[in-house]
Amino acid sequence: MAAQIAPSQSLALSRQDLLCDGNYIAGKWQPARSLARYAVADPADDNVFAHVPDSASADATDAVDAAAGAFDSWRAKPARDRAALIRRWHALILKHTDDLGKLISREQGKPLAEGRAEVAYGASYVQWFAEEAVRSYGDLIPEQVPGKKMMVVLEPVGVVGVITPWNFPLAMIARKIAPALAAGCTVVAKPAEDTPLTALALVKLAGEAGIPPGVLNIVTASRANAPGLVDAWLADSRVRKLTFTGSTPVGKHLARESAGTLKKLSLELGGNAPFIVFEDADIDAAVSGLMVSKFRNGGQTCVCPNRVYVHNAVYDEFAQKLVARVSALKVGPASRDDSQIGPMINARAVEKI
């Protein structure tokens, strides 16, 4: 299934079928059970250019059914074979860097150079975990009783639930899916409601790489429907682990609600990063460092500095040079080659700033 993308020559895809508009469950593209859909807009101009399923708890359960059904066969596959499939996925990601970068820029808003850079960044996770798949070594423990040997054997935990943010729509979901697949786990994933298209394209390429049906499943949902969808995973004992990157309040909710089924959790929550310039600092280097760390992705990263401390002795020089650099930044949509700062992801982000 593929949506119609609005004309924009600089962001037109060479493979239109990478613009997917369905949930991917048990190896098939399908609509939400309710047939409900929601719009995906370009944050640069708010023009809607695609629609995806607005899934609910029933769709979430369908994804778990598929993942649980595929788990035994996937965990039994030799690690070398799993690694080969993940490497094939990595190769396809790199092959389609340009299209994936354009999708990232179109739905997230970051300049095209940053979109392409994110593809390489996300692909590096896939490559790393393809290599780690064959290194899941256990341990031999020195005997405590004569004639007895103890060993630790690492085994896949089961179905892994993946929930990702909008600021790095390819890298964050790749970083979570790749290790799960490498370990022999199956996956159910929900990308951020603002940026579902990159994740859907990534999963499509995983299918083309030969990842078997049911091993990797993805469902999309609007902000209104996302809590009900995720709650279905929280209540399902077949989902043995949950990995989430996002806000601290949501992380607290996931921790509370997963307690009933004692899920394993990996939570990457809110950042709080200072930038400190001491009296003996190289001021030009400090300004360049702040420009990179603060303005990457328009400041929309969890490690962007949210406060800057500058020693009084160098404050005036630092401020003067920083103002000059910031004033020279070119703000514009990803469709413009000279854009250095794209739009904020949505109106809520602007209001927050």
Side-chain angles (χ1 to χ4, degrees):
M1 305 170 73
Q4 295 298 312
I5 191 166
S8 177
Q9 291 304 314
S10 62
L11 295 178
L13 304 183
S14 60
R15 272 193 61 180
Q16 281 291 320
D17 63 322
L18 287 179
L19 189 65
C20 305
D21 69 347
N23 290 330
Y24 187 71
I25 300 174
K28 297 179 180 178
W29 294 99
Q30 53 193 273
R33 282 200 184 193
S34 67
L35 301 182
R37 300 168 69 74
Y38 74 94
V40 180
D42 185 331
D45 53 20
D46 286 332
N47 283 334
V48 172
F49 68 97
H51 292 80
V52 294
D54 195 0
S55 307
S57 59
D59 305 290
T61 300
D62 288 343
V64 177
D65 289 343
F71 176 60
D72 285 342
S73 60
W74 181 246
R75 72 178 296 183
K77 188 178 288 292
R80 188 178 302 276
D81 294 347
R82 293 198 303 269
L85 291 172
I86 299 171
R87 281 196 299 270
R88 197 176 304 163
W89 184 29
H90 171 257
L92 286 173
I93 293 170
L94 293 183
K95 179 180 178 181
H96 295 91
T97 292
D98 193 57
D99 276 349
L100 291 171
K102 289 174 179 177
L103 269 178
I104 292 169
S105 293
R106 189 74 191 277
E107 65 176 348
Q108 199 276 334
K110 66 182 62 177
L112 191 52
E114 288 194 37
R116 292 184 178 122
E118 184 184 337
V119 178
Y121 172 40
S124 70
Y125 287 122
V126 178
Q127 181 183 34
W128 172 272
F129 288 108
E131 295 168 352
E132 288 299 299
V134 297
R135 301 192 182 105
S136 297
Y137 304 129
D139 289 298
L140 285 175
I141 301 172
E143 61 185 35
Q144 305 296 310
V145 178
K148 304 284 187 180
K149 289 186 177 181
M150 293 184 291
M151 60 182 177
V152 176
V153 179
L154 301 180
E155 296 186 350
V157 68
V159 177
V160 175
V162 168
I163 306 169
T164 53
W166 48 262
N167 57 347
F168 289 91
L170 187 145
M172 292 299 97
I173 201 163
R175 188 176 72 172
K176 295 178 184 298
I177 290 174
L181 297 183
C185 298
T186 54
V187 173
V188 293
K190 188 202 82 65
E193 67 275 3
D194 290 303
T195 56
L197 300 172
T198 304
L200 293 174
L202 194 66
V203 169
K204 180 179 179 64
L205 293 177
E208 292 179 6
I211 303 297
V215 170
L216 176 54
N217 309 275
I218 187 167
V219 291
T220 59
S222 65
R223 175 174 289 268
N225 273 358
L229 185 153
V230 172
D231 283 348
W233 290 348
L234 291 171
D236 196 323
S237 61
R238 295 174 298 174
V239 179
R240 300 296 303 277
K241 178 181 174 64
L242 199 67
T243 172
F244 168 74
T245 296
S247 72
T248 300
V250 173
K252 290 179 177 179
H253 171 78
L254 297 176
R256 284 193 303 267
E257 298 303 314
S258 64
T261 52
L262 288 178
K263 300 186 194 309
K264 294 180 180 294
L265 292 173
S266 294
L267 303 176
E268 182 190 13
L269 307 178
N272 194 5
F275 190 95
I276 305 172
V277 183
F278 291 100
E279 184 178 15
D280 60 348
D282 179 328
I283 301 304
D284 290 330
V287 170
S288 295
L290 182 58
M291 293 299 296
V292 171
S293 59
K294 181 59 182 176
F295 292 97
R296 179 190 183 194
N297 198 20
Q300 300 176 118
T301 84
C302 61
V303 294
C304 278
N306 45 30
R307 59 200 188 282
V308 181
Y309 298 107
V310 183
H311 194 282
N312 284 336
V314 296
Y315 178 85
D316 290 339
E317 181 185 359
F318 182 87
Q320 182 180 14
K321 291 183 175 181
L322 179 63
V323 167
R325 291 283 297 276
V326 173
S327 299
L329 287 172
K330 291 184 170 63
V331 179
S335 55
R336 269 181 24 194
D337 292 338
D338 63 347
S339 294
Q340 295 172 291
I341 299 289
M344 297 296 96
I345 185 64
N346 52 37
R348 292 189 306 277
V350 175
E351 292 164 5
K352 180 180 179 181
I353 294 171

